[in-house]
Amino acid sequence: MVMTQNSPARPRAAASFAPPRRRRRRATSGSARLAALLVSPTLLVLTVVVLYPTIVALKDSLFGTPGLDPKTGFVRDTDPFVGAENYTAIFGDAADRFWNAFWNTTFLTFTTVALETVIGVAMALIMHRAFQGRALVRASILVPWAIPTAVSGLLWRWIFNSDGIANTLTGQHVLWTTEGFHAQVAVIIADVWKTAPFIGLLVLAGLQVINKEVYEAARMDGASPLRQFWHITLPLVKPALMVAVLFRTLDALRMFDLPYILIGAQKTSVETLSMLAQDEAANVRFGPAAAYAVILFLYVFLIALAFVRLLGANVVGDDESGPKRGRWLPRRRTEVAA
């Protein structure tokens, strides 16, 4: 029997194999409800830990400090509402101190993160190689990151003392913990020593998932170790490296405890925005302190947004806009319909 175009047999057969739309919609809605149920505890914690303090800080930044009321002549019991006066004072009367803390924060952040990235990648490459005593090397490299920042600050303060190890090794008498560029150098050295293993640990996790066959194919083609690192290791480890640098940058922008313990408070050369906000709060000026905290929050948010959008840090998953694949990198498998 010959089937014609007007025969209804083919459409009926195709329709019998097609899944019903109603069942597909139910499955999709069920998956969405399950996903929302699983994510809801995380969203609740983020709301309590992040969103609520941010809203409270924004509200407090609109109030001033209690003092003498010029209208009544009595001391006010509550904080007066001043609107945007705290922000205008930051960029007005206190502009010099604010911009000094802003540039200190920016300089310390990008200098330490750049050095930590280079040293952390080198640490990851060393820890990834197979040799005797690798476990001991990994443990010794991760020890500085495991030490609390307060303990690390006290340790480096003893090292950078006037009669400490640093001056003994250099043969000079430098007052590291006083004002000046040497104080910034001390903070940079201490911070790089402590947090470079963090980047090395995340990069090492990225190196663990690279297939060894890729390196074998590159060696068979005569690729040098430098070309293997540039065309294989860096493209494949880029997602982990970008996430590590992003997290480290956001953490360094909020730097407070290390320079506060190592150098001290109200030191012009190392005072950061976090230290500035803490100093205002310690002097019972909670409104200006909240204003500094809001400005720091916006600065961190803009840096994170620019990092993700401009540098292509993929912190949520894989996408099509990844690094260009080199000669020896495996290509994605695509299904071709027959």
Side-chain angles (χ1 to χ4, degrees):
M1 182 175 180
V2 180
M3 301 297 297
T4 61
Q5 293 182 354
N6 297 329
S7 177
R10 187 179 298 273
R12 290 177 181 175
S16 62
F17 290 98
R21 294 183 177 179
R22 184 175 300 176
R23 186 182 303 173
R24 201 179 307 171
R25 291 177 180 175
R26 290 179 180 176
T28 304
S29 60
S31 301
R33 286 195 295 267
L34 179 61
L37 182 62
L38 294 176
V39 175
S40 57
T42 303
L43 295 179
L44 180 61
V45 172
L46 289 177
T47 301
V48 174
V49 176
V50 178
L51 185 59
Y52 176 74
T54 303
I55 295 176
V56 172
L58 182 60
K59 179 185 72 68
D60 291 342
S61 66
L62 303 178
F63 290 86
T65 56
L68 188 65
D69 191 352
K71 296 181 179 179
T72 61
F74 295 99
V75 178
R76 285 177 283 211
D77 297 333
T78 58
D79 297 341
F81 179 79
V82 296
E85 290 185 7
N86 290 326
Y87 297 96
T88 57
I90 290 176
F91 296 99
D93 299 336
D96 294 337
R97 191 180 181 188
F98 167 75
W99 287 115
N100 175 72
F102 178 83
W103 293 120
N104 286 339
T105 303
T106 305
F107 173 74
L108 293 176
T109 296
F110 288 99
T111 304
T112 55
V113 171
L115 294 175
E116 289 162 7
T117 302
V118 176
I119 298 175
V121 171
M123 288 180 175
L125 294 175
I126 293 173
M127 291 187 292
H128 185 62
R129 290 186 174 274
F131 56 90
Q132 289 185 348
R134 182 175 64 174
L136 181 61
V137 173
R138 289 183 176 181
S140 61
I141 287 178
L142 295 178
V143 163
W145 180 58
I147 296 177
T149 307
V151 178
S152 177
L154 292 175
L155 172 65
W156 282 98
R157 184 172 186 138
W158 174 72
I159 293 175
F160 287 118
N161 198 6
S162 59
D163 55 350
I165 301 175
N167 287 336
T168 303
L169 294 177
T170 58
Q172 299 179 358
H173 189 73
V174 180
L175 300 178
W176 297 93
T177 57
T178 57
E179 290 284 2
F181 179 72
H182 46 268
Q184 295 180 343
V185 174
V187 172
I188 291 172
I189 293 175
D191 191 70
V192 170
W193 175 82
K194 174 173 172 51
T195 53
F198 171 76
I199 295 182
L201 185 64
L202 293 185
V203 174
L204 177 63
L207 291 174
Q208 299 277 348
V209 299
I210 299 179
N211 195 346
K212 296 181 180 179
E213 297 177 356
V214 181
Y215 291 100
E216 295 177 359
R219 283 193 295 268
M220 291 179 63
D221 288 346
S224 62
L226 182 59
R227 292 192 64 187
Q228 294 179 30
F229 173 76
W230 189 259
H231 294 283
I232 297 177
T233 305
L234 275 185
L236 291 180
V237 86
K238 179 185 175 182
L241 180 60
M242 289 292 101
V243 172
V245 174
L246 174 61
F247 287 171
R248 184 65 204 111
T249 302
L250 300 184
D251 187 40
L253 286 171
R254 299 178 289 106
M255 184 184 300
F256 167 76
D257 43 4
L258 184 61
Y260 187 85
I261 296 174
L262 177 58
I263 307 300
Q266 296 182 0
K267 295 295 183 65
T268 306
S269 55
V270 296
E271 188 175 45
T272 61
L273 291 176
S274 297
M275 297 174 66
L276 195 56
Q278 187 274 340
D279 183 67
E280 292 291 330
N283 289 279
V284 202
R285 294 190 291 266
F286 299 110
Y292 283 118
V294 170
I295 292 175
L296 178 60
F297 170 78
L298 294 177
Y299 185 37
V300 172
F301 176 77
L302 292 177
I303 291 294
L305 184 63
F307 200 98
V308 174
R309 293 294 180 88
L310 299 180
L311 298 182
N314 185 16
V315 296
V316 295
D318 192 16
D319 56 5
E320 297 295 332
S321 61
K324 294 183 178 180
R325 296 189 175 271
R327 177 180 177 182
W328 303 283
L329 299 187
R331 298 183 180 276
R332 296 181 181 176
R333 297 179 180 178
T334 56
E335 296 181 358
V336 181

